[in-house]
Amino acid sequence: MAAKRKELEGYLAAWTVAGVVSHVPFAGKVYDPRVINPFGGRQSAEIRQKIDEVKAFIANRGLARGA
């Protein structure tokens, strides 16, 4: 149940981001919320890997405060 809730909340956040980006005139992008949702679908493993890479980059450079 917690995983489904996280997936739903991730979808709602992704839907919001997709809506905002689609209204930015200079972005010229259209995102599918099912694809950019980090908590659901097949793509989530790829997205989580990228998030882990960013976190490692931040940690290695000492950019995170208190972490």
Side-chain angles (χ1 to χ4, degrees), residues 31-50:
Y31 291 115
D32 183 2
R34 292 170 292 187
V35 174
I36 64 172
N37 181 0
F39 299 111
R42 292 186 275 191
Q43 295 83 8
S44 64
E46 297 169 11
I47 293 171
R48 283 191 198 121
Q49 179 184 2
K50 291 186 185 284

Side-chain angles (χ1 to χ4, degrees), residues 48-60 63:
R48 283 191 198 121
Q49 179 184 2
K50 291 186 185 284
I51 290 172
D52 290 340
E53 290 173 7
V54 170
K55 286 181 179 180
F57 176 85
I58 291 170
N60 290 336
L63 299 174

Side-chain angles (χ1 to χ4, degrees), residues 20-29:
V20 169
V21 170
S22 70
H23 285 88
V24 175
F26 56 85
K29 302 256 183 196

